[in-house]
Amino acid sequence: QVQLVESGGGLVQPGGSLRLSCAASGQSFSIFAMGWYRQAPGKQRELVAFMTSIGSTKYADAVKGRFVISRDNDKNTVYLQMNSLKLEDTAVYYCNADFVSIKPPQGGAYWGQGTQVTVSS
């Protein structure tokens, strides 16, 4: 079993930055894909970004050029650096992982409980 714990959410002004972290524990040494989904009020959950253990990445069009995903394989941790935040980035952000792959829209097998990101003036 794999457990995922997110941290780093909060309230930020438009144009500001936040850094999210997700730490995996349990049988986590063989996790291949780790990443982030988000769900805004009244909207479907959507993929934000993910990264594999061999370095490949994928980003949603809405966050390209603003968000950067990174990963520390030794610490079983994935990060999401969010810059130039917009009002529409407000959502609950969920960590997601799988031993094989993350396939939108359903995502991988393991999920964190989520962390709230609110962008507001």
Side-chain angles (χ1 to χ4, degrees), residues 23-110:
S25 61
Q27 293 182 306
S28 57
F29 287 109
S30 298
I31 292 176
F32 181 69
M34 295 185 70
W36 298 89
Y37 277 70
R38 68 185 183 186
Q39 188 166 25
K43 296 185 178 181
Q44 294 181 312
R45 188 176 297 188
E46 64 177 356
L47 176 69
V48 178
F50 73 83
M51 188 172 190
T52 70
S53 60
I54 57 174
S56 60
T57 60
K58 182 175 177 63
Y59 293 89
D61 289 342
V63 306
K64 287 180 180 178
R66 298 189 297 119
F67 292 9
V68 179
I69 192 167
S70 61
R71 182 171 175 175
D72 187 334
N73 292 330
D74 292 336
K75 296 181 179 179
N76 298 309
T77 300
V78 66
Y79 306 93
L80 187 68
Q81 179 67 45
M82 304 186 294
N83 302 312
S84 302
L85 283 161
K86 304 175 180 179
L87 296 179
E88 54 263 42
D89 294 319
T90 295
V92 178
Y93 284 71
Y94 297 90
C95 187
N96 186 221
D98 201 279
F99 289 111
V100 179
S101 65
I102 291 176
K103 296 184 180 297
Q106 69 273 19
Y110 301 99

